[in-house]
Amino acid sequence: MRRAQLDIQLKTPDQIQKMRAAGLVVAEALRRMSAAVAPGVSTADLDAIAEATIREAGAVPSFKGYHGFPASICSSVNEQVVHAIPAADQVLRDGDVISIDCGAVLDGWHGDAAVTVGVGEVDPALLKMASVAEDAMWAGIAAAARGAASGRGRLTDISHAVETAVRRGGRYGIVDGYGGHGIGTEMHQDPHVLNHGRPGKGPRLVPGMALAIEPMITMGSPRTVELSDGWTVVTRDRSMAVHVEHSMALLADGVWVLTAFDGGRARLGDLVTARQPAVSPAG
């Protein structure tokens, strides 16, 4: 079933359960890659871990071949914001930060998530920026859950919550033009979810909506440029950037963070649906 105008795909609880399975594949791939991040490791090494993990689970890397993208992850280092292509000659160094974006499709349903990881000894200011982005993502997810529960929530309530959390965290640039999205039988669906904006606008937040929430913030200007490879997006002023993401779904009794091992319970508490066990078997 799809909502009119924006063509928003609404999922049944059973379909969301299938999305959860895809989400756990992504969660495991990100867990293994995060554990492998260290000085001397290449982004191609991380990509190999992702592809092996995804295929081992019987899933397919959803990024690989997407509009010609050649890898299973996006591996964005330092001033790279999103969509960077893994390479054997891009070797991580002490003090770097890397944002790893990963997607998988299982039985026709997609999962999509991203983490930012420090490499070795990292400037505490960069770690704080990553923490602010993480908090902003969870604030957006919580806003979606509360909005759906009240019956009055609108899409830009998420955007406003993300922006408010970032502004509260410090003086960061919020990358414009990139943001979250609907997810389901395709990796990218309506609606686009901005990381800034006024609340109370856009389609209503209702059970069956599945969204990827993904703040991207910078130490400097929010303006970006795309490199000549046609994929890699970097900050225009070459300031450092971070990117985090979770896929989540709204159900009648709460939210389910599909790419978090605990379904979001540690961060969201009672906002999480009862379909998510108190202790995740995958956790």
Side-chain angles (χ1 to χ4, degrees):
M1 183 170 63
R2 293 177 185 265
R3 293 178 65 82
Q5 297 176 329
L6 280 179
D7 197 26
I8 297 173
Q9 183 186 69
L10 298 182
K11 288 79 173 173
T12 67
D14 287 346
Q15 289 170 336
I16 290 170
Q17 188 82 43
K18 292 180 179 180
M19 291 186 67
R20 169 60 165 168
L24 287 174
V25 174
V26 173
E28 178 60 17
L30 286 171
R31 185 192 68 79
R32 293 185 187 181
M33 285 185 283
S34 296
V37 166
V41 173
S42 75
T43 54
D45 294 334
L46 299 177
D47 185 66
I49 291 170
E51 180 158 9
T53 303
I54 292 167
R55 295 195 185 280
E56 175 188 299
V60 175
S62 50
F63 292 8
K64 197 165 190 177
Y66 182 75
H67 295 295
F69 191 78
S72 297
I73 64 169
C74 299
S75 51
S76 304
V77 180
N78 296 337
E79 75 278 5
Q80 296 173 340
V81 182
V82 285
H83 303 160
I85 301 170
D89 61 359
Q90 186 175 42
V91 177
L92 299 176
R93 298 174 299 178
D94 194 63
D96 285 344
V97 290
I98 177 172
S99 298
I100 308 169
D101 194 356
C102 181
V105 56
L106 180 65
D107 295 331
W109 294 93
H110 287 258
D112 186 10
V115 295
T116 292
V117 183
V119 184
E121 293 293 324
V122 178
D123 183 344
L126 294 178
L127 297 178
K128 180 188 174 186
M129 179 168 62
S131 178
V132 168
E134 183 96 2
D135 289 346
M137 175 185 65
W138 286 107
I141 296 170
R146 293 190 181 99
S150 72
R152 298 187 300 272
R154 297 278 187 173
L155 182 69
T156 63
D157 296 349
I158 300 171
S159 309
H160 182 70
V162 170
E163 180 179 11
T164 299
V166 173
R167 301 299 183 213
R168 185 182 301 122
R171 295 177 62 86
Y172 302 108
I174 300 176
V175 175
D176 198 11
Y178 298 90
H181 50 88
I183 185 169
T185 51
E186 299 90 26
M187 181 166 56
H188 293 113
Q189 298 180 328
D190 285 339
H192 183 59
V193 188
L194 290 171
N195 289 315
H196 57 86
R198 295 181 177 179
K201 299 183 181 298
R204 290 194 180 277
L205 299 169
V206 297
M209 290 181 77
L211 304 169
I213 310 301
E214 49 180 319
M216 303 166 205
I217 63 177
T218 73
M219 277 290 192
S221 169
R223 302 181 72 183
T224 61
V225 293
E226 186 178 89
L227 299 186
S228 59
D229 63 12
W231 287 101
T232 306
V233 176
V234 301
T235 53
R236 180 166 290 188
D237 62 3
R238 298 304 192 265
S239 62
M240 302 287 261
V242 297
H243 169 211
V244 295
E245 177 184 17
H246 267 312
S247 296
M248 64 89 175
L250 298 171
L251 289 100
D253 66 339
V255 66
W256 200 348
V257 184
L258 304 170
T259 47
F261 282 121
D262 71 347
R265 192 170 297 280
R267 294 294 300 252
L268 302 174
D270 291 342
L271 291 175
V272 171
T273 174
R275 288 179 73 94
Q276 164 60 32
V279 178
S280 169

